[in-house]
Amino acid sequence: MILEPEKFRRFEHAGWQQIPTGYHEAFGSLTRQAIDPLLDAVRLKKGMSFLDIASGPGYVGAAAAKRGATVLGIDFSVAMVDYARQLHGNLDFREGDAEKLPVANGLFDAAAMNFGILHLGQPELALVEAHRVLRAGGRFAFSVWCKPEETIAFGIVLRAVELHGEPRVELPEGPPFFRYSDPEECTRGLMVAGFESPKVTKIVQTWRLPAGDGLFNAMNDSTVRTAGLLRAQKPTVLKKIREVIHLALAPYIKGDAVELPMPAWIASGIKP
Ligand SMILES: C[S@@+](CC[C@H](N)C(=O)[O-])C[C@H]1O[C@@H](n2cnc3c(N)ncnc32)[C@H](O)[C@@H]1O
């Protein structure tokens, strides 16, 4: 596998530019569940300066501001930045790359990246950048999905593609989607970037979606890499994948919704 960081970055960027509203509607209720654990991991308190990296619709920054922090949110998609400004007009969101943050050294008391690391072509650079922009003693935390055996939504969709479709479609090659879904890899990444006292803990999360096509639609319309995988399938195959996803959701139906376990890892470290 030869990684193509620039091509991958352009692919991700083009994708995120298209989906702020869809992402907010499909994923917002899920990714917001990791906010309190992230802010607790960086010990966020009133008066601190806080950087929300890969801020998307700005959920983490908004929650940090509620805790009394001074907040900057950075995302490489200007459409996401605009969307975050619409949702939280009084906060500062700017365009910028997590792998080359447009901020000076040592500015922040704390920083976090909520489900951003798996979208980066060169995540190691983002970890080094998070370290650079913190003051000595500052804390950084990131969240990442657990493996698809545990994150049922990914498991169901990927298994359906594996069994009925073509799982190796031509997309720009990025790092494995589940690379950091391993606490040892999180720890290694944090330490290589210069963080000390790495800590990785699992959190329970549940994704509630409309029954029927809710999961298929969320993955097909409001993601980048998974949507790329689905859209590359032949129409007849995609129809079959969609039916198989429906069937696999049966054990998770609650009324007119499905409730899917979607645990995540919260990894954090301290800049010495
Ligand atoms: C899964 S969303 C997470 C959004 C948000 N943090 C949340 O709490 O839901 C990933 C975000 O990462 C952003 N992103 C991806 N690659 C990036 C990069 N290289 N630099 C900055 N942002 C990036 C995308 O634009 C998108 O908003």
Side-chain angles (χ1 to χ4, degrees):
M1 175 175 86
I2 299 169
L3 296 181
E4 304 171 297
E6 250 322 298
K7 237 171 134 180
F8 181 74
R9 185 188 182 284
R10 284 199 297 275
F11 165 72
E12 282 274 332
H13 184 264
W16 289 110
Q17 284 286 91
Q18 302 303 317
I19 57 172
T21 309
Y23 176 80
H24 174 59
E25 287 170 3
F27 280 87
S29 64
L30 175 60
T31 65
R32 278 197 294 246
Q33 294 171 41
I35 293 176
D36 276 332
L38 280 173
L39 297 184
D40 291 345
V42 300
R43 304 213 180 144
L44 194 80
K45 291 189 189 69
K46 193 172 174 183
M48 286 172 106
S49 53
F50 175 78
L51 181 64
D52 179 3
I53 304 170
S55 46
Y59 310 134
V60 184
K66 267 206 179 131
R67 286 197 189 192
T70 307
V71 168
L72 173 63
I74 288 187
D75 197 287
F76 77 163
S77 156
V78 77
M80 275 294 188
V81 169
D82 286 344
Y83 197 69
R85 287 177 182 152
Q86 265 179 50
L87 290 182
H88 325 282
N90 53 335
L91 298 181
D92 191 0
F93 291 99
R94 295 187 209 159
E95 187 183 353
D97 198 315
E99 295 169 1
K100 203 176 173 209
L101 290 169
V103 293
N105 296 350
L107 266 191
F108 293 92
D109 297 313
M113 179 159 58
N114 197 21
F115 299 105
I117 199 156
L118 58 150
H119 298 288
L120 305 177
Q122 298 178 91
E124 306 83 0
L125 294 185
L127 294 175
V128 169
E129 279 292 89
H131 185 272
R132 178 182 67 77
V133 301
L134 286 176
R135 63 156 171 86
R139 288 170 197 261
F140 169 63
F142 67 90
S143 56
V144 65
W145 306 112
C146 292
K147 294 216 165 109
E149 294 78 15
E150 293 183 85
T151 43
I152 299 302
F154 289 120
I156 287 176
V157 173
L158 296 177
R159 206 165 324 113
V161 175
E162 189 83 36
L163 288 176
H164 302 282
E166 175 45 78
R168 278 162 295 279
V169 299
E170 283 234 355
L171 294 177
E173 203 63 67
F177 191 85
F178 293 103
R179 170 176 168 188
Y180 289 95
S181 306
D182 166 12
E184 280 179 24
E185 186 62 4
C186 294
T187 300
R188 202 185 67 80
L190 286 166
M191 294 193 77
V192 168
F195 289 101
E196 284 184 348
S197 310
K199 232 173 150 182
V200 187
T201 52
K202 192 186 276 188
I203 58 166
V204 172
Q205 305 191 121
T206 304
W207 198 12
R208 196 175 156 82
L209 287 166
D213 268 335
L215 175 59
F216 178 86
N217 290 342
M219 292 294 188
N220 197 49
D221 303 340
S222 308
T223 66
V224 179
R225 230 191 305 194
T226 312
L229 173 66
L230 290 172
R231 289 180 201 156
Q233 307 297 322
K234 291 189 189 117
T236 48
V237 170
L238 196 58
K239 188 165 171 273
K240 178 75 188 165
I241 288 171
R242 189 170 169 164
E243 288 163 8
V244 168
I245 290 174
H246 264 219
L247 292 177
L249 287 171
Y252 304 98
I253 291 176
K254 293 262 163 63
D256 57 359
V258 289
E259 290 185 358
L260 305 170
M262 290 292 279
W265 296 108
I266 303 287
S268 62
I270 307 174
K271 176 171 176 172

